[in-house]
Structure formats: C-alpha cells, structure tokens
Amino acid sequence: SMSDGIMKKLHEEMVIQILLELPVKSLIRFKSISKILYSLIHSSIFINLHRNRRRNTKDELLILKRPIFLDENLYKNIMYFLSSNDNDNDDTLKQVSPEIDVPYFDNDFCVQFQQLIGSSHGLIALTDYEDIIFLNPTTRKYRLLPHSPFRCPKDFVFVPRGIGFGYDSIEKDYKVVRFYELSSEPYDRDLEARHSRVEVYDFCTDTWRWIIPTVKLLPRVHHYVGSEAFFSGACHWTAQDDYAEPIVLCFHLTYESFRNIKLPDTCYFCDNKGYGLTVCQNSLTLICYPHPKCHLEPGQEFTDIWFIKEYGQDETWIKKYTIRPLPIESSFAIWKDHILLFQTGTGTLSSYDIHSDQINEFGYQANNGTLRLVVYNEALTIIPRESNEATQVLNF
C-alpha cells in the first residue's frame, strides 16, 4: 500500500519515536492501515517501550463495573471507561469509549463478591473466585483462565478467602494467587478442623499449582470492596489475625510467601470501621472509614488516610489526612493522588477532593456495594492465548 511505501522510507527508530507520542486510540486505528505499522505496534519491543514511556496522564482512565438487573436472579455487567476533562481542576467524569458487556458472571451468585482486580501492565482481572477473566480493556481482548484442577475433598467444606493478581518482575510473568479454607464438616468455630490451601496460576506455564503455606491457617481476609491492592511486587488484603487484630496480609509474587503487616494502633476489631487499600503517592495506603450501618461514638465519624513509611523495612503508618464525615459505603481508590472515589450509602459513585474539600456525585448508581472501580493505564499488552475482542463475541 502507499502508506507502507512511505513507512519504508522512514527510519524505524524515527517511526517508533513518533508512535510513542500518540494516544492509544490512534495506535489501534493505525494497525489497520499498514502491514508494517501493524507488525511494529504488535512487537513486544514496541509494547514494552510504550508501557515504560513517560506516563501520560491522558492514558489514565477509570474503569467502572456496574451490574444492571434484568430480573431478580439475572443481570448483566457493564463496564464503563471514564476520564476527567484535560483541565485538572475539573473533576467531572465523561465516558471516553463504548462500554463493554462483561462475559460470564451473569447470575446473582456473586454480585456482592465479584471483584475487579488490577491493573497490572494494562491488564485487569474479573473474578467471582471460581471464574477468572483477564481483559485488556484497551485492545478489548480477553481470556478465561483454566479452572483449577483441585477439588474440595468429600465431607469437607470449602470457604473462599482471598484472590490477587500481579506481575512478577523477577520471573517476568503474570501470576494469580488464590487461597481458601478447608474444614471438616460442619463448618464450626473449631480452628483445629480448618486449614488453608494456596494455589498459584502462572501465565507462562498456563497451569495451577499448590503452595504449602508456613502456617496451617492463614489470617481471615475481610471482604470489603476495594480492600486489596498490588504494590511493590506483592498482593495485599486487609484481614484479621488469630487474636482478631486487623492486619494487612501480604503475598510476595516472587518469593511466594505470606507475611503480616500490623495496622495502626487506632484500628481494632469491631471498631465499626471499613478498610480500603490502595496506592497513593507511591505508598501503600489505608483508607479507614466509618461503616455506614454501624452506630459510632462521637468523634469516630471521620475518615482517616494512612501511608506506610519504609515499606518492607521498619514499616510504620503515618496518618496523612483526616477527612470530614463522608457517606462511604465502600471506598475504591485515591485518583490523581488527591481524589477519593467511593460508593455512597445510596449507591452512587462519588468523589471527595482532599485539596478543595468538595464532594462530587456522578450519574452512575447501583445497588449498595455492587459498584467496582479500578484506576487503569492504557497499554497494548498482549494476553497469552487471548480470545477475540470482547465486544465481538458477546450478544446479550
């Protein structure tokens, strides 16, 4: 084609430099106009350069998942792609590309649990614990992971606990970790009758394998929305230890081992608080908010935001912000390092600007606690053994 003729006259390095400056949407369009551009943009060298280039804030989107109930047992999951206007002082959200109907997960079995985990290298994971889908929302390619071959033994009870995903930068591989409790029936308070199982899925081998944890029973993970985070090579979940003290349970993807991080002393079990984990200002961050359904003592209605100092060494928590009472049902993230995003008690997606003290409500609403949101950087990452574009293969 004529465009291929022009491309051959230009140095490849020059073309790459030009392409790296362009928005992702343009790159996806260019793939269809020239064979040379197609193979260049698809090459692992270009994909890695693109992912590691100076971050362009325009590439950062919010992905919001919202269930729309068709009847009381059946619903479809819609994913929206949201961005703020280019003006940083304007925090209104606009939809920036067509929404996706999410494959699978269409019954009400796990509408509360169903997680949106991410994003690592431009990939996100969707899971109801049993099914796990990897999706690159930029290319709209996705993949259903194979189910774990391990089955619950007869006469045992299986209780899902935690699930996480991230990129192991030493092994250069994406991994999923999943752990659960097995209990000889009936499931009672007898800790002796329970033990934890841990499974890891490696993308490079496309298989699940067992890991033997160093303790018989791992800490019990909270199922708060937004209470897991991937940071510094490890998955983190809020949990409680054997003494019912709240902690962060942490699993390092390279070393494949668990450890506990104590929460600040002001956090304790049964304190009527919800806990969210996120990454803010390049620190592991805890959002500690009053639970909307609980009675609170005077002075306890504030939201505290804590940062970890010296992650991985002498870890201490620093209280960075104390925020006036907010109607938080579940917290999602701190976007642009100063905008707290949350679902309110009435089900609405809202934001609170830490700098200006402003609350904003957006036009996205769902049953209490069923919205899910991740902050996402657009990338061209190829999922190994990926399927066709999500939008082409779905017909609700």
Side-chain angles (χ1 to χ4, degrees), residues 219 222 229 231-232 234-241 245-252 257-265 267 275 277-278 283-286 306-318:
H222 297 144
F231 176 73
S232 195
C235 299
H236 302 80
W237 305 265
T238 63
Q240 61 196 52
D241 64 14
E245 293 296 321
I247 56 162
V248 172
L249 175 66
C250 162
F251 179 79
H252 199 285
S257 59
F258 288 91
R259 70 186 183 99
N260 298 349
I261 302 172
K262 265 182 73 64
L263 282 199
D265 290 341
C267 303
Y275 300 115
L277 282 180
T278 187
S283 293
L284 187 65
T285 302
L286 175 74
W306 301 79
F307 284 21
I308 272 195
K309 197 176 169 208
E310 305 287 337
Y311 178 87
Q313 294 157 30
D314 301 326
E315 286 159 335
T316 50
W317 292 94
I318 309 292

Side-chain angles (χ1 to χ4, degrees), residues 62 91 93 280 287 302-305 321-328 330-344 348-362:
L62 300 176
D91 293 327
L93 291 177
C280 181
I287 304 164
F302 298 96
T303 293
D304 293 327
I305 297 177
Y321 306 105
T322 294
I323 294 169
R324 66 183 168 100
L326 295 172
I328 299 177
S330 44
S331 75
F332 297 126
I334 300 174
W335 191 30
K336 301 180 180 176
D337 286 343
H338 69 100
I339 299 168
L340 173 63
L341 293 156
F342 59 95
Q343 183 172 10
T344 68
T348 311
L349 174 64
S350 297
S351 72
Y352 171 80
D353 189 319
I354 293 168
H355 293 167
S356 68
D357 194 37
Q358 290 297 305
I359 293 183
N360 240 334
E361 284 201 347
F362 306 110

Side-chain angles (χ1 to χ4, degrees), residues 10-18:
L10 293 169
H11 279 295
E12 191 172 283
E13 285 88 351
M14 187 195 297
V15 175
I16 286 175
Q17 288 311 316
I18 294 166

